[in-house]
């Protein structure tokens, strides 16, 4: 099954936008929360460092989830293309 190339472009833009937001959001929220805690409760600057580290860990977790999803999609796409190729008439395989 062939899809319009614009559909693939839009899908890829959507995926990369989602990845960017998924990586940036935990980092920004953790830093914001750490600065708020520091200012509100008079905690030292160490809380901001802790917020940065927790934010980086959250961003890495989001990226790992995306990498697992992308790997599954690539394997599924590879399997679909192999099946399409095998079942086309005159292309070998068991297509008649």
């Amino acid at each position: 099954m062939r899809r319009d190339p614009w559909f693939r472009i839009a899908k890829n833009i959507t995926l990369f936008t989602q990845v960017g937001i998924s990586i940036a959001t935990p980092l920004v929220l953790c830093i914001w929360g750490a600065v708020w805690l520091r200012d509100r409760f008079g905690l030292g600057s160490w809380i901001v460092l802790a917020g940065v580290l927790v934010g980086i860990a959250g961003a890495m977790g989001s990226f790992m989830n995306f990498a697992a999803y992308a790997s599954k999609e690539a394997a599924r796409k590879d399997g679909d293309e192999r099946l399409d190729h095998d079942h086309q008439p005159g292309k070998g395989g068991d297509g008649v």
Side-chain angles (χ1 to χ4, degrees):
M1 178 169 100
R2 290 208 136 157
R3 290 191 178 162
D4 185 27
W6 290 108
F7 177 80
R8 284 185 56 201
I9 291 170
K11 183 178 178 182
N12 289 335
I13 289 173
T14 303
L15 283 175
F16 285 119
T17 302
Q18 179 182 1
V19 169
I21 291 171
S22 295
I23 290 173
T25 301
L27 188 58
V28 169
L29 288 177
C30 286
I31 292 172
W32 175 79
V35 169
W36 181 81
L37 286 171
R38 183 193 64 192
D39 294 343
R40 174 84 169 132
F41 298 108
L43 299 174
S45 295
W46 64 270
I47 195 74
V48 176
L49 178 61
V52 168
L53 294 176
V54 170
I56 289 172
M60 286 175 38
S62 292
F63 182 75
M64 295 301 288
N65 285 338
F66 171 74
Y69 168 77
S71 177
K72 287 179 186 176
E73 280 294 307
R76 184 190 61 81
K77 183 179 176 184
D78 185 39
D80 288 348
E81 287 177 357
R82 196 174 321 121
L83 287 175
D84 287 343
H85 178 71
D86 288 345
H87 294 290
Q88 289 179 358
K91 295 282 186 183
D94 59 355
V96 248

